[in-house]
Amino acid sequence: MKLEFAIGTETQTVTVEEKNILGVLEPNEAPKGLRGLEAVLYAIKHPIGSPHLGELVHPGEKIAIVTSDITRPMPTWAVMPILLDELYGAGISKEDITLIFALGNHRRHTPEEQKKLAGERAYREIQCMDLDVTDCVRVGTTSRGTPVEIDRRVVSADRRICLGNIEYHYFAGYSGGAKAIMPGVSTRNAIQANHSRMIRPEACAGRIAGNPVREDIEEAAAMVGVDFILNVVLNPQKQILYAVAGDVTLAHRAGCNYLDHLYRKELDCQADIVIASQGGAPKDLNLYQTQKALDNAAHAVRNGGVVILIGCCKEGLGEKTFEEWMTTSPSPEFMIRRIERDFQLGGHKAAAIAMVLRRADVYLVSSLPADFVKRIFLTPFSTVEEAYEAARKKCGENATVLAMPFGGSTLPKIKTER
């Protein structure tokens, strides 16, 4: 059987005997229903666990809309006209609405990027601003000890509306919902305290109940107060398949359930070899982003097996702290011990890779120099075919194989894990 995987703007193929293949994980067919902006409008008109938006807001109130930054695929530009029409229809003036980009720990935007994200109409009609980490308010401390330090404009608003897309997150369970607040408009200090819990086994993709990172996020958001959310689920082409609106928890859970129907793939057993692609450009520009596919693949590989990770990585590792950890650590185990005592954003992704290396070998098919790949504890290959031949030599001629051409999106779960 010939398997095809995207890498950068190209594709590579590998031939695997049918008898060895456990499966090819692709998204399930989406249920019939409204799509695109029709789905968004329906969600706003039919909120889950919440009054209609027009009943929540009142003339004269200050409205803070928190949305994703440029590193996330949330199509803010597409949904903002619908949201603005709802607010204007409820008597909210343009001057009382601020759109805040949830940078988390990411860089600030250029004005051109802000305009692209917000869309021309929103950028023209309302204030559009990045998170200002120099002007945050301490709201309190969560029961787990995380300081809740939030952008003053969000805290001081009369109403808070959070936007986002829902996808799997490798230690917060899912994106979307309360994540717009924590880490979206939080200080680095707060984010580090929250994310330090990523090393707990319960902090994993597709899990909410008992997940210490997600529960801490939602506790922090509850202290701030979120009045309404609008979240979307996207297909691999980043088109809107589904939308939910309303209560920050109930609407979010409905979106998570829909995501599971599309992208959660149950398996009877783990594979000897997992071949996973991040999905090609632009999702595999660097190893920092390609790591998402590795984390999902780790759920499906047996102890002592091989993950063949496919990502162009033409921009290298992609983040300064991540690069420092990967290139200066004497061993993967050192990174795990380091994250336990010295949590650093960027370093957390290095530790995540190290935790996979505890269980399996990672063969990286990329454009990175071979010597450099070896230096960061991975095994380099130029083609998927070469990597598969090496994996088969290690695991045997009868090694079972699982293919994940959309590794960053599809989440394998062994049935006994439920």
Side-chain angles (χ1 to χ4, degrees):
M1 181 178 182
K2 185 174 286 188
L3 303 174
E4 186 174 279
F5 299 90
I7 177 168
T9 57
E10 302 175 350
T11 58
Q12 289 194 20
T13 60
V14 60
T15 300
V16 179
E17 291 189 32
E18 293 271 2
K19 67 181 180 65
N20 295 84
I21 296 178
L22 284 183
V24 178
L25 302 193
E26 295 183 335
N28 296 320
E29 184 177 350
K32 292 182 179 179
L34 298 175
R35 298 283 186 267
L37 297 185
E38 289 185 337
V40 172
L41 185 58
Y42 181 88
I44 289 178
K45 296 296 186 182
H46 299 83
I48 299 170
S50 163
H52 286 84
L53 184 57
E55 299 171 14
L56 285 172
V57 301
H58 303 93
E61 290 184 331
K62 300 291 185 182
I63 312 295
I65 303 173
V66 181
T67 194
S68 303
D69 73 347
I70 201 166
T71 68
R72 301 291 183 262
M74 171 64 197
T76 306
W77 56 270
V79 306
M80 279 303 295
I82 296 174
L83 194 58
L84 289 177
D85 287 344
E86 288 292 315
L87 293 173
Y88 296 161
I92 303 298
S93 66
K94 299 174 182 178
E95 295 75 21
D96 287 334
I97 304 173
T98 302
L99 179 65
I100 300 170
F101 298 107
L103 299 179
N105 191 49
H106 303 150
R107 67 165 176 82
R108 295 179 65 83
H109 297 116
T110 66
E112 292 75 19
E113 288 171 333
Q114 287 188 353
K115 184 176 182 180
K116 180 179 179 181
L117 287 170
E120 289 194 11
R121 178 182 167 190
Y123 194 74
R124 180 178 66 251
E125 293 180 359
I126 64 174
Q127 295 184 83
C128 299
M129 302 178 177
D130 283 342
L131 156 71
D132 184 357
V133 293
T134 67
D135 188 21
C136 289
V137 176
R138 179 72 172 260
V139 177
T141 306
T142 70
S143 60
R144 290 178 171 84
T146 299
V148 184
E149 299 166 342
I150 308 297
D151 189 299
R152 183 181 301 275
R153 293 160 301 183
V154 176
V155 175
S156 63
D158 297 299
R159 301 292 174 186
R160 285 160 288 277
I161 301 170
C162 292
L163 312 184
N165 72 293
I166 299 175
E167 58 188 356
Y168 292 116
H169 188 280
Y170 70 104
F171 61 81
Y174 300 82
S175 64
K179 274 186 101 270
I181 299 295
M182 171 78 77
V185 287
S186 302
T187 63
R188 184 182 181 90
N189 183 45
I191 297 168
Q192 290 194 166
N194 171 262
H195 285 14
S196 66
R197 299 172 184 89
M198 64 165 283
I199 61 174
R200 297 275 299 276
E202 301 87 358
C204 61
R207 179 168 183 171
I208 291 178
N211 184 325
V213 176
R214 168 54 71 169
E215 290 181 348
D216 193 58
I217 285 169
E218 297 191 340
E219 183 181 349
M223 294 171 68
V224 179
V226 176
D227 297 281
F228 199 81
I229 70 166
L230 172 61
N231 281 184
V232 299
V233 176
L234 307 174
N235 65 13
Q237 292 73 43
K238 305 308 178 189
Q239 299 163 327
I240 298 173
L241 285 179
Y242 186 66
V244 291
D247 180 77
V248 64
T249 301
L250 297 178
H252 179 252
R253 299 299 190 268
C256 293
N257 288 337
Y258 186 92
L259 184 82
D260 284 344
H261 178 85
L262 284 182
Y263 298 121
R264 191 181 187 111
K265 312 293 287 190
E266 292 198 339
L267 304 173
D268 291 321
C269 61
Q270 292 175 320
D272 298 306
I273 302 169
V274 178
I275 309 175
S277 167
Q278 174 65 353
K283 294 180 285 187
D284 67 349
L285 282 175
N286 53 56
L287 187 59
Y288 193 82
Q289 295 300 322
T290 301
Q291 180 271 340
K292 295 176 182 178
L294 175 61
D295 198 80
N296 284 347
H299 292 273
V301 69
R302 68 164 175 82
N303 289 343
V306 175
V307 176
I308 299 173
L309 178 64
I310 304 165
C312 179
C313 302
K314 69 177 184 179
E315 294 186 358
L317 297 191
E319 201 274 342
K320 185 177 180 180
T321 303
F322 174 61
E323 181 171 356
E324 185 266 320
W325 280 50
M326 291 296 294
T327 57
T328 64
S329 297
S331 68
E333 196 64 30
F334 178 87
M335 291 187 277
I336 298 172
R337 294 197 304 269
R338 183 178 178 181
I339 202 72
E340 291 173 344
R341 68 177 188 274
D342 177 30
F343 182 89
Q344 293 184 36
L345 291 167
H348 72 295
K349 287 236 179 183
I353 291 175
M355 286 189 280
V356 178
L357 288 168
R358 267 182 170 175
R359 298 184 48 243
D361 290 339
V362 178
Y363 295 178
L364 180 64
V365 180
S366 74
S367 61
L368 293 172
D371 288 346
F372 180 78
V373 174
K374 292 176 184 177
R375 184 180 164 195
I376 59 174
F377 315 109
L378 309 179
T379 306
F381 291 92
S382 299
T383 68
V384 182
E385 192 78 52
E386 293 171 350
Y388 176 62
E389 285 304 312
R392 195 167 63 155
K393 285 181 181 179
K394 177 183 186 293
C395 299
E397 295 293 316
N398 296 319
T400 54
V401 177
L402 183 73
M404 299 176 61
F406 303 98
S409 301
T410 46
L411 177 65
K413 284 291 185 180
I414 306 306
K415 290 180 180 178
T416 55
E417 292 181 357
R418 285 183 299 174

